[in-house]
Every structure is written in C-alpha cells, then in structure tokens.
Amino acid sequence: SQKIEQNSEALNIQEGKTATLTCNYTNYSPAYLQWYRQDPGRGPVFLLLIRENEKEKRKERLKVTFDTTLKQSLFHITASQPADSATYLCALLNAGNNRKLIWGLGTSLAVNP
Amino acid sequence: DGGITQSPKYLFRKEGQNVTLSCEQNLNHDAMYWYRQDPGQGLRLIYYSQIVNDFQKGDIAEGYSVSREKKESFPLTVTSAQKNPTAFYLCASSIGYGGNQPQHFGDGTRLSIL
C-alpha cells in the first residue's frame, strides 16, 4: 500500500542544535516534495519545495534533502531556536496522481532554551 | 498584506443544519482548495478549484458542497449529510493547480456539533 510517514514521536532538542526531521514514503514516485510548518490552531506555512532531480535545497537555516533511492526526505534546522517549535508537515506530489498533494501527519518539534 | 482569510474561526452546527465556511484570498491565485484536518490523520482534500467557475471533488467530498463564482472566493458548505463534521477545516490557494506549486493557507475554521 502507499504510505507517507513522518516521525510520530515528538522531537525534543536543545537550543542551538540541529533538528533533523524525516519523511519516508512507500509505493510513490514523487515528482516534488514540500515541507510546511504548522503552529497550533493555525494553517500550515510553506517552507521549501524540492524536485525529484534535486538532491538538496537550502533557505537560510533550513535544508531539505531528497533521496529517491532511500525514498526519503530529510528536513534540517540548524542553530535551532525556541521559536522553531512547531509541527512540520511533508507533502508529496506523486507522478501521475492528478497533481494532488499527499500529506504526512507531521512531526512535532520542541526546541528547549 | 496579501493572504487568505477564513471565517468564522469557530463554528457550531446543530443536527440537521447546513453551515457555510467562508474563504477569501487576495493573492490573485487561480487555484483554491479545501482540506479537513483530524487528529492522527494527514490533511485530506475535500474539493479543489483550478479556476473560477470550475471545481472538482477531492478524496472526501461526500456531504460537502462548494462554489467558485469569483476568483477570490471559495466557500464550503457542510451539509446535514456529512455525519462526522467535527474537524479543523483549512482553505488554501496556489498560483496554479498542481503539486509543484506552494500552497498558501488560511488559519482555519474549527467546526463542532452542538
């Protein structure tokens, strides 16, 4: 069956460390993968998009990697801050899937001062 | 500032009642979407619209209806046929339709049953 999975357990890290979140997928062939941040009671906010032929994308303290062999995307936040605490969602566009995004459940990140 | 506005933030529905959730965008985006978010589940697509006067069913359209008479507006009606309407509803838009386009979200409407 087709699945998109993110760490179900919350990630707790110390301020200043690098947070790494994982998005794994099964039986999909993503053409694109997106990452969003969602705060409690708010809508998701777009962060980064990476294409299947790109291995890495960066934006300020954020970095996304995309490994189609491992069927995995990693999302890194360097020099993390308490303000980075939120839930992070990954979403993929499956090639040929009517161009709809398929969403993961998200991983909760807590950055402790 | 450009963005998407959803209203109301909280909504209560009585049994047998239809309710309408508002979604307005001033981003000049062609595509708009309605999602439902439930605990323990990813965002699920209810309806989407690629362009004004057009809309398509998503994965869980039963018990819902939409209209797209204006580019900036995409209201969602939760009908009495939707037996489990309690959820967090999110409206989004993108420049064009497709998963290669970032989606911009409103801050949601939380619907509860009285």
Side-chain angles (χ1 to χ4, degrees), chain B residues 7-75:
Chain B
S7 61
K9 191 158 183 64
Y10 300 96
L11 188 58
F12 298 92
R13 194 190 88 169
K14 294 180 182 178
E15 294 289 342
Q17 188 180 47
N18 294 352
V19 291
T20 298
L21 285 60
S22 171
C23 178
E24 303 277 331
Q25 55 103 354
N26 61 3
L27 298 166
N28 200 33
H29 285 173
D30 281 321
M32 296 188 75
Y33 312 81
W34 274 105
Y35 291 95
R36 171 179 171 141
Q37 189 172 38
D38 296 279
Q41 300 204 43
L43 294 178
R44 292 185 291 167
L45 184 64
I46 304 172
Y47 268 96
Y48 65 98
S49 169
Q50 298 187 45
I51 200 163
V52 66
N53 292 322
D54 169 78
F55 52 83
Q56 306 291 334
K57 291 182 179 180
D59 300 316
I60 55 165
E62 186 175 349
Y64 300 97
S65 66
V66 294
S67 63
R68 185 89 187 275
E69 297 174 2
K70 296 187 294 182
K71 186 175 187 177
E72 58 270 22
S73 179
F74 192 40

Side-chain angles (χ1 to χ4, degrees), chain A residues 20-98:
Chain A
T20 298
L21 287 70
T22 305
C23 179
N24 295 306
Y25 57 91
T26 306
N27 292 328
Y28 285 116
S29 299
Y32 301 90
L33 199 144
Q34 302 186 22
W35 283 88
Y36 291 76
R37 167 190 173 133
Q38 186 174 22
D39 291 285
R42 307 291 298 272
V45 175
F46 170 76
L47 297 173
L48 283 167
L49 179 151
I50 188 164
R51 295 173 174 76
E52 61 178 334
N53 60 353
E54 296 178 314
K55 294 226 181 289
E56 183 179 295
K57 202 82 169 279
R58 291 176 185 260
K59 178 182 173 184
E60 298 171 352
R61 294 184 296 112
L62 309 180
K63 183 177 84 171
V64 172
T65 63
F66 194 5
D67 189 325
T68 54
T69 301
L70 292 178
K71 298 187 182 303
Q72 180 181 80
S73 175
L74 298 179
F75 178 80
H76 306 272
I77 306 175
T78 57
S80 60
Q81 305 165 359
D84 295 325
S85 300
T87 295
Y88 291 85
L89 308 174
C90 71
L92 63 82
L93 169 69
N94 195 36
N97 186 36
N98 196 27

Side-chain angles (χ1 to χ4, degrees), chain B residues 89-110:
Chain B
Y89 289 87
L90 288 161
C91 179
S93 72
S94 60
I95 293 173
Y97 176 68
N100 61 334
Q101 302 287 341
Q103 294 188 6
H104 299 255
F105 285 82
D107 274 339
T109 292
R110 191 166 296 280

